Amino acid sequence: MSANPKASERVDALREQINYHNYRYYVIDDPEIPDVEYDRLMIELRQLENDHPKLVIASSPTQRVGGTPLSAFSQVVHEQPMLSLGNAFSDDDVISFDRRNHERLGVDMIEYVAEAKLDGLAISLLYENGELVRAATRGDGATGEDVTHNVRTIDSIPLLLRGAGFPKRLEVRGEIFMSKEGFRKLNRAQNDKEEKPFANPRNAAAGSLRQLDPKISAQRPLSFYCYSTGIVEGGKLPDGHYQIILALKSWGLPVQKEMQLLKDINACIDFYQKILNKRDKLPHDIDGVVYKVNSISQQKDLGYISREPRWAIAHKFPAEEEITKVIDIDIQVGRTGALTPVARLEPVFVGGVTVTNATLHNESEVLRKDVRIGDTVIVRRAGDVIPEVVKVVMSQRPKQTNVFVMPDVCPVCQSSVIKEETISRCSGGLICDAQIKEGFKHFVSRQAMDIEGLGEKLIEQLIDRNKVQTIADLYHLQRDELISLERMAEKSADNVLAAIEKSKSTTLPRFLFALGIREVGVATARGLANYFTNLDSLMDADSETLIKVPDVGPIVAKHAYEFFRDVRNREVIQSLVKSGVHWPDIEADFQDDDLLPLSGEIYVLTGGLTSMSRDVAKEQLQALGAKVSGSVSAKTSVVVAGEKAGSKLTKAEKLGIAVLDESGLIALLAKHSK
Ligand code: IVH
């Protein structure tokens, strides 16, 4: 008998709704209600359970985090051992696997299911009458550890199965893992608490699952996908692996999207390539693809060999981490003078390519990881990310090694090195050859002036032989100067000259990016160009104006301001423009709200306003669809001139542009504000 029939009914209804929304969110990836609404249901349920403690049951969604921490894990003997998978490292290995299956089964066609191999930990979930009663790790395959208390805290694992038709005793197997995003967040938090970061998402997931206190696990962003079953009693499952997984899904268990039923092994190999290509874009780590014979009766016929099924194989991706030795630590000087320590490595095949260098980022990183010449290290190359040293294998450190010391003079120009927090920077500026060369490389690069054929070697020769001092000199290069260089045939010289000529016709964002202003990347360059619409107003802008550009903060503003105050930079810009580098005017950056009353109009505010700040005036004009620009040009529609308006007003008058005083502005805003 329940304490209160009304409360009991409401509690049941809330639980049902919450479980339904969990299913929508975690299993079919199609949430129906916003998070706040879900939170409201949980709050109401918690409140009711608080008021009526007799209504609390273990499978209630409020009961995920249990009470007291465990003192130790108890052991679980797996009724059916949890096996491992054989590996295939090449297409040939996969084709042999398929051939063996054909020979043993004596059939023409074998259907396979291909699915991503999740890089986490195997878990066994036991459901009795639809209720999660136990969760155990794989352990050695025969005996694992009882981690029910922690697994219950994983929101995507249902405490109750949905619907009907599931076996009375059903063991679901799958992988617990941590998403890349969750891993980054967790490590940031570890860092803030000055605790040791986890090496990778897999270790983080393992560490999180092996907590005695479920409150800690509950805070860790763990996820789960199922991929097979173990015990099945008191019910039947379909006769296909794919169909079984779909049944599990219908009962509320999350299934990964990277899974397909395929007609033969060739389709599996195509699937592998497809998944390998999108590996970096997936939200979680995977380390290969698993192929499974779909028919369960065929699986039974094939059986097992040495604790691995004959009916399945893991087609592994090239390893992203490998071991190698540090031969040397070099210092690279970048375009802005930043000194980067780089480990020179014994060549090693990792992430699908041979790696000989790995960045060590900066001095504090080298010291934190304590990387020394002679060390054996773990190198990681994930996707297109530049290779990095993950950690030193301390047990293999040779006897005599020295702690890394950052040089206090620039290895290229011998200027002194200045420390700015973690970054060491060469103070040489334009006398440092390394900075000059990097500046040139940046200037000609694809997203900047895009000068094809002007590669690294050529730039180095031009600078070393004094053919160019600044980027502006590129536009004065003579044909015979180019031909006199090493490995420069007449034809290539002509191509380079044509590419330089072609680059003269550019865009303002490209030009700004090419200048190599510190912290100004492609997006910021675009933002600056759109805001100022022309180079002159940007060059004359003060820091306060610069900060108003979307996404420009005080640091970028400072760098941009200082860059344009430097006479040498101004001279280079002038020379570039004089040589014919040009770009079309930037159209004011209209939003698609063409329907607003001032859409298409460009306003310029100048002088002081008394009834409102300039920022407020700007916001109100923008809200009416106007673009507010910092400088007056022929494109300006209206200049709003407050008190003591200066050169902008004069220019407006000269160009015959409409001028509004403050009362005119107020009238305009009033007219359109309803
Ligand atoms: S099937 C009898 N499917 O790989 C085979 N395993 O090397 C049962 N794994 O311990 C495993 N993703 O932790 C299977 N889609 C997937 C998998 C997968 C990851 C892990 C699992 C297992 C290990 C075997």
Side-chain angles (χ1 to χ4, degrees), residues 327-574:
I327 308 169
D328 204 351
I329 299 180
D330 281 357
I331 304 293
Q332 263 175 11
V333 185
R335 176 166 58 80
T336 61
L339 265 47
T340 307
V342 175
R344 302 277 173 234
L345 304 169
E346 271 179 13
V348 59
F349 191 74
V350 52
V353 298
T354 301
V355 166
T356 50
N357 304 315
T359 179
L360 293 166
H361 300 290
N362 55 49
E363 182 183 19
S364 52
E365 275 289 294
V366 188
L367 296 179
R368 188 175 67 78
K369 292 176 183 161
D370 191 17
V371 182
R372 305 182 187 187
I373 297 170
D375 269 341
T376 296
V377 290
I378 298 175
V379 176
R380 180 174 176 82
R381 182 188 177 274
D384 294 335
V385 180
I386 46 172
E388 63 172 351
V389 170
V390 180
K391 68 174 190 178
V392 174
V393 185
M394 285 298 173
S395 59
Q396 295 193 30
R397 173 166 280 171
K399 282 222 171 65
Q400 233 108 59
T401 57
N402 299 316
V403 174
F404 170 78
V405 187
M406 196 73 173
D408 47 18
V409 295
C410 169
V412 178
C413 73
Q414 270 70 49
S415 301
S416 57
V417 167
I418 297 167
K419 288 220 166 107
E420 301 167 6
E421 289 179 22
T422 53
I423 298 174
S424 308
R425 213 178 282 280
C426 157
S427 62
L430 288 178
I431 70 152
C432 178
D433 255 12
Q435 291 188 49
I436 296 171
K437 284 175 186 166
E438 292 304 317
F440 269 83
K441 281 189 222 162
H442 175 77
F443 184 77
V444 306
S445 65
R446 207 172 44 79
Q447 289 179 297
M449 300 303 280
D450 192 19
I451 307 182
E452 228 177 287
L454 201 52
E456 194 170 327
K457 288 270 160 344
L458 190 51
I459 290 173
E460 283 176 9
Q461 283 194 68
L462 287 170
I463 294 170
D464 292 342
R465 299 190 185 196
N466 254 335
K467 305 278 183 217
V468 290
Q469 268 92 44
T470 76
I471 44 178
D473 299 336
L474 286 174
Y475 292 91
H476 303 294
L477 273 178
Q478 300 299 317
R479 189 168 183 267
D480 49 345
E481 281 180 307
L482 275 172
I483 294 173
S484 72
L485 301 176
E486 274 165 37
R487 278 186 276 147
M488 182 49 67
E490 294 192 6
K491 179 96 180 64
S492 353
D494 288 337
N495 287 344
V496 170
L497 285 173
I500 292 176
E501 190 59 32
K502 189 168 147 222
S503 76
K504 284 183 182 172
S505 171
T506 185
T507 65
L508 183 54
R510 273 181 180 275
F511 182 75
L512 292 177
F513 174 64
L515 292 176
I517 307 165
R518 260 174 73 186
E519 307 283 337
V520 176
V522 175
T524 311
R526 201 177 302 127
L528 289 169
N530 280 340
Y531 186 86
F532 289 100
T533 70
N534 65 71
L535 182 59
D536 286 343
S537 8
L538 167 60
M539 284 175 69
D540 292 340
D542 51 23
S543 302
E544 289 93 80
T545 315
L546 284 160
I547 284 183
K548 291 189 188 139
V549 179
D551 295 330
V552 169
I555 296 178
V556 180
K558 176 174 169 278
H559 288 315
Y561 179 76
E562 284 172 1
F563 183 90
F564 291 117
R565 293 288 89 58
D566 189 324
V567 194
R568 292 169 303 183
N569 291 335
R570 283 184 166 256
E571 277 169 11
V572 168
I573 292 171
Q574 219 171 30

Side-chain angles (χ1 to χ4, degrees), residues 79 95 177 201 206 216 234 260 334 347 364 388 475 490 541 551 649 653:
E79 287 176 43
I95 287 161
F177 59 94
I216 300 182
Q260 261 181 35
S364 52
E388 63 172 351
Y475 292 91
E490 294 192 6
D551 295 330
L649 176 58
E653 283 164 350

Side-chain angles (χ1 to χ4, degrees), residues 82-87 115-123 138 173-175 202 226-228 241 256 287 290 292 304 307-309 311-312 314 316:
M82 290 182 78
L83 305 168
S84 56
L85 291 166
N87 289 325
E115 43 194 82
K117 185 165 188 295
L118 306 155
D119 199 6
L121 303 105
I123 192 88
R138 175 175 181 274
R173 293 178 176 180
E175 200 84 348
R202 204 194 110 82
C226 65
Y227 52 62
S228 72
H241 171 69
Q256 62 169 329
D287 57 351
V290 185
K292 299 173 182 173
Y304 298 83
R307 316 192 63 73
E308 287 169 9
W311 47 264
K316 301 287 284 239

Side-chain angles (χ1 to χ4, degrees), residues 58-167:
S59 60
S60 172
T62 59
Q63 302 302 302
R64 286 192 173 271
V65 187
T68 44
L70 303 182
S71 51
F73 296 103
S74 51
Q75 301 223 312
V76 172
V77 176
H78 296 297
E79 287 176 43
Q80 285 183 20
M82 290 182 78
L83 305 168
S84 56
L85 291 166
N87 289 325
F89 295 100
S90 65
D91 291 357
D92 281 351
D93 290 350
V94 174
I95 287 161
S96 311
F97 158 78
D98 178 55
R99 192 183 329 109
R100 285 193 303 268
N101 290 339
H102 276 278
E103 283 166 5
R104 282 185 176 267
L105 295 171
V107 292
D108 289 340
M109 298 299 287
I110 301 178
E111 268 190 334
Y112 290 99
V113 176
E115 43 194 82
K117 185 165 188 295
L118 306 155
D119 199 6
L121 303 105
I123 192 88
S124 145
L125 307 174
L126 185 61
Y127 286 90
E128 286 180 354
N129 298 313
E131 186 172 344
L132 176 68
V133 293
R134 195 199 64 204
T137 61
R138 175 175 181 274
D140 61 5
T143 310
E145 282 175 331
D146 188 325
V147 286
T148 316
H149 63 304
N150 289 336
V151 166
R152 288 176 59 92
T153 70
I154 302 174
D155 289 329
S156 58
I157 295 184
L159 299 178
L160 285 177
L161 296 181
R162 293 173 47 78
F166 41 76

Side-chain angles (χ1 to χ4, degrees), residues 5-17:
K6 269 246 175 73
S8 146
E9 265 170 38
R10 181 67 188 147
V11 161
D12 285 348
L14 283 167
R15 285 179 188 152
E16 207 177 301
Q17 280 184 50

